Amino acid sequence: MAFTLTPALADDFVGRKEITSELVNQLSSRNKIGYSLSGVRRIGKTSILKEVERRLTENRKVPVAYVSVWRVSPNTIDEFVRVANRAALNAFRNRLPAKFKFEELLVTGKAALTRFLNSLKLSAKVTDDLEVSISYVRREASDVDDALTGCFSLIEHLGEMTRTNSVLIVDEFPSLVDLTYGAKNQKIGDSMIKLIRTLYEGFKRTKLVISGSYRQTMRNLVAKQSAPFYKQLLLREIEPFSESEYKEFLQHYLPGLKFTRDAVREQLYRISSGIPYNLQLLGSEIQLQGLNDLSSEKLSGVVDGVLRKEGELSFKEFVDDLTPSEVKVLRALARSSDIKPSGIAAQQFMDKDTVGYSLSLLVNKGIIVRRGRGAYVFPDNLFGEWLKSSDDL
Ligand SMILES: Nc1ncnc2c1ncn2[C@@H]1O[C@H](COP(=O)(O)OP(=O)(O)OP(=O)(O)O)[C@@H](O)[C@H]1O
Ligand SMILES: [Mg+2]
């Protein structure tokens, strides 16, 4: 079976039955319910979103525009506008009165653009949205609020024009606030979120689905009374694979694999923490080593192999933007899981306040989880193993 480190789709998409059928059913219904998915890095958010997109478009004939903010590169507003417009037009391509590509509009000269747009027989609102967005992307206009309004309204106006309900998916939504504009790389920050929320309130045809990796950020967007999307989006937390999803994964990806004891099967689940990305890494190493039966010793060899070959590439980015104090605290936790904050302070020559502060930052970032007073664990055991094995941080 083919392992992958990119989002898993169709036959290779395992488990997640409840959340995918809820999303597909709600998003293709007449209800005006949108969703917000929150889940730690590599838990499988994008895979769920892409699978839901596939089922909505293939089975329910619902147009879906999917945009990943992390894929917007360079991460500027004009690039975002370009990507989002392309996605919206693409979602409606079979319903438009005339066939054309967004790129064609971009290369049409300023004077000819209005004529070209008119020849496409789009509604006045859609024409207007496109004109505004295109002139912004081409730097002929500079009002960033106008450009974003045109960009987000496009999908709603396409829905109005074709009398179709559609879905807009914005993956890694919180990173929108980091997009920049203008020569000085200014950020519009939170006002971007407010703008989208105000527009979304008026939408009748478009349902919004967003995702993000930091639980607290997503709660702040959706779950508090003062939150911009309070009562507009339902918050769903994506958890690690359950044991039965883990078994399904093994059956699909490693159908011939035997375990010398049941305990080894559980060991593999525990080291992966049920995180699909880790299972893909470990599974491909098992395949690479040509193992048909897995013992405890062989499993150790598999983990070592993964950490040696992929550890740096897979986990270094988690520590790259941490402060030196946070890294010290993590190291101490990785070495002995039951160490208390006072123990960390003594071991790492830090003062207790710094340890406490670093711990709370790490919890907010989802890198560690608090399990009661002074007790912290890694939600990702493979990452914990990597921290233990890498001395040069
Ligand atoms: N349901 C699934 N079945 C099989 N593999 C999966 C599933 N979900 C995720 N994976 C695998 O896990 C890895 C991470 O998945 P994905 O990119 O969807 O997660 P994510 O939460 O969006 O991660 P990121 O934080 O990097 O955005 C990929 O290698 C993907 O193939
Ligand atoms: Mg993702």
Side-chain angles (χ1 to χ4, degrees), residues 4-6 8 12 14 41-47 276-277 280:
T4 171
L5 299 180
T6 56
D12 287 333
V14 167
R41 288 292 315 276
R42 295 157 184 185
I43 202 77
K45 300 173 297 294
T46 302
S47 298
Y277 179 88
Q280 295 277 358

